[in-house]
Amino acid sequence: MDLRKLILVLTFLGALVPFANTFYASYTVQRQQLMDATLDSNYAYASKLAKSTEDFLQASQLQLAYTAQLLATQMDDVGRLGGEATRLRMMSKSFNSITIFDATGKVLATSPEALGLQGRVLNSEAVKAALREKRPLISAPYQSATGNFIVFINHPIVSPAGQYLGAVGGAIYLQKENILDRLLGQHFYIDGSYLFVVDRQKRIIYHPDPQRIGDFVENNAVVDRVAAGESGKGAAVNSHGVSMLAGYAPVASTGWGIVAQRPQAATLAPLTELMQSTLYKALPAVLLTLAFLLWSARLISRPLRLLADGARKMDDPASAGDIRSVKSWYFESRELKKAMLMGIDAIQKSFSKLREDTATDPLTQLGNRRRMDDALRTFESQANTFSVISLDIDHFKAVNDTYGHDAGDEALRCLAQCMREACRAYDVPLRVGGEEFLILLPSTTLATATRVAERLRRAVEEMKIPKVGGITVSLGVANWPQSSFDIEAVLKTADEMLYASKRGGRNRVSVRPSGSDAASVRGA
């Protein structure tokens, strides 16, 4: 490519790159603002509905408490009980059905009577809990004796003398028209926004699609958090694979979680239209600017030619000196020269960072096997004696299974920090596997390395880790050339000593002295 064509290319880049960067930055900022506003709105809406639901549940319990007070002296009057059950259901509109039962769980009255429960003894978990606890309760969702998926709210009936007589309860039929529909069913938009409610077991108890009620929600971070009693906002993917922006809040008395969400695509649709309109209006000015730059490019050929020669070899460390020697006699070429020098500096820093990253374990920030190989080559080339401490976490699978992989990762990071604190500046701590670690100690005898290993073992045993509590490690120690003149054999010996510690009861240091077949075990 000749110089003129190169100048033209640079001219186009000089005009288009800033415009594209500004356009992209504007889009990114506005996109984030829209997403944040939607998340805040959904969080506020979910919090409001959680409060409204909590208020409804408290009001329902007050209604039941009032009815229980009225019935305390009328438990023998079946007709009166039936009338009161009908009155409560018709006046409050809070429940799909009302049931009054005695202290044995026998149904005395229901509304509507078509339920056919009169005289039957109820044995659902909700009724058993009411009879056992003898206090106001809101049940977890369950399948009732009549085949309905319900939530049962009850209040005990106590005589004036304080004797427990039974309870009055209201049922909300989750798969039929109910109070939750009226309370929560107004959150509908044509853009696909909706809300749903889950219980503590992440089972859906309200959803605009009735077919989803009773389903369990899996692999949804937002549902996991709200089912755990947290409130907040975040991105999620629904069961149809649609990216959603969700706000969530728990209902304190029941542990239910309300999630209000809107499709991310619907949130960003106005922004896409706005950016297209902006692009069309900005295009004439961009074209005029390009024409002016093309004309101006004829005046800057010599400095740009020299800079272009330097640009072709920017990965060469000597190119920075060549570019600095270019006599840039006008502002634009000086700025381009400065930018190229900055680019060279950034490239060289990126290469250095890349080399560092390839030798570093991303979780613990310890060295990896590449770092180990480099260190061993250095020790071998310098004929430098060194010791090896091989260690891994005892029962680490149990940590992951009991507390989760996040807690397991935190345990690995804490162990890595403990290793760094136990090491000297020139020691090489490494992570070589899942929970497998090495420490290379240059110019260190077997006895000294064993003392370091024991000190590290005690430090780990005393360390406290969030959620997990404490862990222990088993360690094996070897030395080059005391254990073997072959480096691979030294590493293998350290591993063998590690497994000797495992077999010996874990949480200990094992070392094979020179010329001995027996492992010497320290620690307990």
Side-chain angles (χ1 to χ4, degrees):
M1 182 180 291
D2 60 35
L3 181 59
R4 180 177 177 179
K5 291 180 180 178
L6 182 58
I7 292 175
L8 294 178
V9 170
L10 292 175
T11 301
F12 275 107
L13 290 176
L16 293 178
V17 169
F19 174 77
N21 181 65
T22 302
F23 190 82
Y24 175 75
S26 176
Y27 173 80
T28 301
V29 170
Q30 294 184 67
R31 179 180 185 273
Q32 191 61 47
Q33 288 177 340
L34 281 174
M35 292 176 62
D36 289 344
T38 298
L39 288 169
D40 290 341
S41 175
N42 284 340
Y43 171 61
Y45 194 78
S47 299
K48 175 184 176 182
L49 290 178
K51 179 63 167 58
S52 298
T53 303
E54 181 68 30
D55 291 344
F56 156 72
L57 292 172
Q58 292 181 3
S60 298
Q61 288 178 320
L62 288 175
Q63 292 172 354
L64 291 172
Y66 178 74
T67 300
Q69 185 178 3
L70 294 178
L71 297 178
T73 59
Q74 302 172 10
M75 292 294 284
D76 295 330
D77 189 343
V78 175
R80 186 64 180 270
L81 294 179
E84 188 61 28
T86 301
R87 181 199 65 79
L88 177 60
R89 182 175 66 87
M90 298 301 293
M91 289 185 64
S92 70
K93 301 296 185 182
S94 298
F95 305 107
N96 293 87
S97 67
I98 300 294
T99 302
I100 302 171
F101 52 89
D102 64 16
T104 67
K106 180 181 177 181
V107 177
L108 302 179
T110 63
S111 177
E113 295 181 0
L115 292 175
L117 298 176
Q118 194 87 8
R120 291 176 58 180
V121 176
L122 301 177
N123 59 1
S124 67
E125 288 300 322
V127 173
K128 290 179 180 178
L131 297 175
R132 181 176 61 252
E133 300 287 338
K134 297 182 176 59
R135 62 183 178 87
L137 292 175
I138 301 175
S139 75
Y142 69 98
Q143 202 78 22
S144 72
T146 56
N148 293 306
F149 188 52
I150 71 172
V151 169
F152 190 67
I153 305 173
N154 75 83
H155 195 283
I157 302 173
V158 180
S159 71
Q163 180 185 2
Y164 178 76
L165 303 177
V168 55
I172 300 174
Y173 295 177
L174 299 176
Q175 292 174 314
K176 297 183 179 181
E177 183 179 353
N178 59 67
I179 187 64
L180 292 181
D181 289 321
R182 298 192 292 274
L183 188 64
L184 307 175
Q186 303 303 315
H187 188 86
F188 287 102
Y189 299 98
I190 59 174
D191 61 6
S193 299
Y194 64 95
L195 65 84
F196 62 94
V197 183
V198 296
D199 63 9
R200 284 192 176 93
Q201 285 71 44
K202 297 183 283 189
R203 178 169 48 187
I204 296 175
I205 62 174
Y206 171 78
H207 196 282
D209 179 5
Q211 300 300 319
R212 295 296 310 280
I213 294 174
D215 291 351
F216 287 90
V217 181
E218 303 291 343
N219 302 318
N220 188 310
V222 164
V223 172
D224 292 343
R225 289 194 288 267
V226 76
E230 300 178 22
S231 63
K233 55 194 174 183
V237 177
N238 70 8
S239 59
H240 298 291
V242 178
S243 297
M244 309 293 287
L245 301 176
Y248 53 92
V251 179
S253 63
T254 62
W256 300 348
I258 296 180
V259 181
Q261 56 187 14
R262 186 185 190 195
Q264 180 174 308
T267 298
L268 300 180
L271 177 60
T272 302
E273 296 176 1
L274 175 63
M275 299 308 292
Q276 289 176 346
S277 176
T278 302
L279 180 62
Y280 294 149
K281 292 180 180 179
L283 195 57
V286 173
L287 294 176
L288 289 174
T289 302
L290 285 175
F292 173 75
L293 291 174
L294 290 174
W295 174 78
S296 301
R298 299 176 185 274
L299 304 178
I300 55 175
S301 59
R302 181 172 176 77
L304 284 181
R305 179 178 61 80
L306 296 174
L307 292 175
D309 290 341
R312 283 196 294 268
K313 50 181 181 179
M314 287 182 66
D315 57 342
D316 185 350
S319 64
D322 295 339
I323 293 174
R324 288 191 182 93
S325 66
V326 174
K327 297 184 182 301
S328 298
W329 53 272
Y330 51 90
F331 175 78
E332 289 81 4
S333 62
R334 286 199 302 272
E335 290 301 305
L336 182 57
K337 174 181 173 179
K338 187 187 302 181
M340 292 176 65
L341 290 173
M342 291 175 62
I344 290 174
D345 182 60
I347 289 173
Q348 292 174 350
K349 287 181 179 178
S350 296
F351 286 161
S352 297
K353 181 66 166 55
L354 180 61
R355 286 193 294 270
E356 178 67 20
D357 289 345
T358 57
T360 302
D361 174 60
L363 176 64
T364 63
Q365 300 304 305
L366 299 180
N368 57 18
R369 288 187 179 273
R370 185 186 295 271
R371 178 70 58 79
M372 179 185 74
D373 293 340
D374 291 343
L376 291 175
R377 280 194 295 269
T378 300
F379 297 161
E380 187 175 24
S381 65
Q382 297 174 351
N384 188 9
T385 63
F386 65 92
S387 291
V388 180
I389 299 175
S390 179
L391 65 149
D392 76 1
I393 300 175
D394 296 330
H395 304 297
F396 184 65
K397 184 177 183 301
V399 172
N400 280 332
D401 292 344
T402 303
Y403 303 103
H405 289 281
D406 288 344
D409 290 347
E410 182 63 22
L412 295 174
R413 284 190 287 266
C414 290
L415 175 58
Q417 181 60 31
C418 197
M419 290 171 62
R420 280 190 286 266
E421 293 172 355
C423 288
R424 300 164 296 185
Y426 47 84
D427 292 336
V428 185
L430 305 161
R431 182 189 181 197
V432 295
E435 68 268 28
E436 299 173 8
F437 296 81
L438 280 180
I439 303 177
L440 302 179
L441 303 96
S443 305
T444 303
T445 65
L446 187 64
T448 300
T450 302
R451 288 194 294 272
V452 172
E454 176 60 21
R455 188 167 63 249
L456 174 59
R457 183 197 67 77
R458 290 197 301 269
V460 172
E461 186 177 30
E462 296 169 358
M463 178 175 60
K464 298 301 180 184
I465 302 172
K467 287 189 178 182
V468 176
I471 59 172
T472 61
V473 292
S474 298
L475 306 95
V477 186
N479 175 269
W480 183 85
Q482 188 173 351
S483 298
S484 174
F485 284 99
D486 180 66
I487 290 179
E488 290 296 328
V490 172
L491 297 176
K492 182 177 180 181
T493 298
D495 279 340
E496 290 173 352
M497 293 300 95
L498 165 63
Y499 287 109
S501 294
K502 294 285 190 182
R503 292 190 298 273
R506 295 184 169 82
N507 189 21
R508 60 186 61 215
V509 178
S510 295
V511 57
R512 177 183 294 147
S514 178
S516 173
D517 293 330
S520 173
V521 181
R522 293 178 174 84

